[in-house]
Amino acid sequence: MRSCIRGLAPYSTARDEYKGGPLGVFLDANESPYDNGYNRYPDPYQRALKQRISEIKDVPAANIFIGNGSDEPIDLAYRVFCAPGRGNAVAIAPSYGMYKVAAGMNGVEVREVQLNRDFSLDVDGLLAACDGNTKLMFLCSPNNPTGNSFQAANIERLLAEFRGMVVLDEAYIDFSESPGFLPRLAEFDNLIILQTLSKAWGMAGLRLGLAFAREDIIAIFTKVKYPYNINSVTQKIVLDELSKDIRPFVDEIIRERKMVSAELAKFGIIEKVFPSDANFVLVRTADPKGMYDELIANGVIVRDRSKLKGCEGCLRITIGTPEENRKMLGLISQMNDKLKS
Ligand SMILES: *Cc1c(COP(=O)(O)O)cnc(C)c1O
C-alpha cells in the first residue's frame, strides 16, 4: 500500500459523528431543512444496502465495498496500491478496457499478458511479467470479451504465487454455472473480487459496483472514497430492486445464450462461436466489419472487437430478449444465404 494512503486521516462527515438516536433535529450538516425526499446527505457507509447485499451474497458487511460502478473500486485499487510512476500492474489481454484506462489516469504502467490461443490463462507468463514493484494483477472470469471462465486451479496458483493483490473481476458470475471465488473469500489474503449490479441485476443506469475483500482493505477503500459516493436516490432504488427475484431473467438469458450459440454455429459465415459463461457470445467471421455494418443498417448494434489483439475477426454479441435475438439471427441468416448464392 502507498505510504501516503496508510497515514491518511479520512474526511469526517457530519453524519459520522451523529451515531443515531430518537428522531432528531438535524442542525449539523448545513442541509436544507425542507423535506423533498433528498434534502439530507446520504449514509456515507450505505449500511442498509450493505446489510441486504451481505444477505444475498452471504458475505459479512465488513467485507463489502460499494462503489459508483465497478469503475470506482478499479480506480481505488490503483490509488491505494500503486504509487504513480513507480508501482505497476499486470493484466490479462484481451480483457476489459477499464483496467488500462484507470491505470493511465493514475500514472501506472500496465503490463498486458496475452491469454493463450484458447483464451486460457498463461499463468507462467503472468508471473514472469511481475517484478518487485508489481502491486496488482487484474483477472476477469468469466472474461470480457472472450466469454470463458478460467480454471480455478490456475487462479489459485496466481493467488498463491503472486506477491501482491489479485483483482478478480466477476461482473458476469451470475451467468456462470460456477459460484466463483466469493464463497472462498476468507481463504485468500490478497484477493479483491469485483461484482456489479450492471449486468444480471439490470441496474447499469444506477451505477453500483461491488468489491469484496478482507476487512482492512475494505476499510482503506472506504477511507479513500468520496464520502458520499452513492447518492440517496440510488441507495433507495437499489434496496427496492434487490428484493426482486432476478433468477427467471438470468435463466432466460442463459437459455437464449445456448440457443443463440447453437444457431450461430450452423452458419458457414460464422467461423467460430466461442464458449460463453456470460450474457454475450464472441464469434469469429471472415468479414467482421461487413457483418457489423449490415447489422447496424438494420438497427442491430453489436460490438466490433476485431481490432483487439487476440480477437481478430471477432464480434461480441450481447444476449437480448428472445425477440431481439431472433431478429439478430434472422439478419445473420440472410447474410449467410447471400454468401452461399
Ligand atoms: C460490464 C463490466 C463491468 C461493470 O462495470 P460497472 O462500472 O459496474 O457498470 C465490470 N467489469 C467487466 C469486465 C465488465 O464487462
Side-chain angles (χ1 to χ4, degrees), residues 12-33:
S12 169
T13 72
R15 294 295 136 82
D16 274 340
E17 285 153 24
Y18 170 71
K19 295 284 190 269
L23 272 187
V25 175
F26 292 102
L27 305 180
D28 59 344
N30 298 348
E31 299 152 334
S32 166

Side-chain angles (χ1 to χ4, degrees), residues 10 14 18 21 43 45 47 64 109 123 130 138 140 158 166 169 173 180 189 208 224 242 274 276-277 294 322 331 336:
Y18 170 71
D43 175 6
Y45 302 114
R47 292 176 185 89
I64 303 172
E109 177 202 355
V123 176
C130 300
F138 282 89
C140 182
L158 290 168
V166 173
D169 190 340
I173 197 67
D189 269 353
L208 212 303
V224 176
L242 286 176
F274 293 91
S276 172
D277 272 342
E294 180 69 13
L331 291 168
N336 193 61

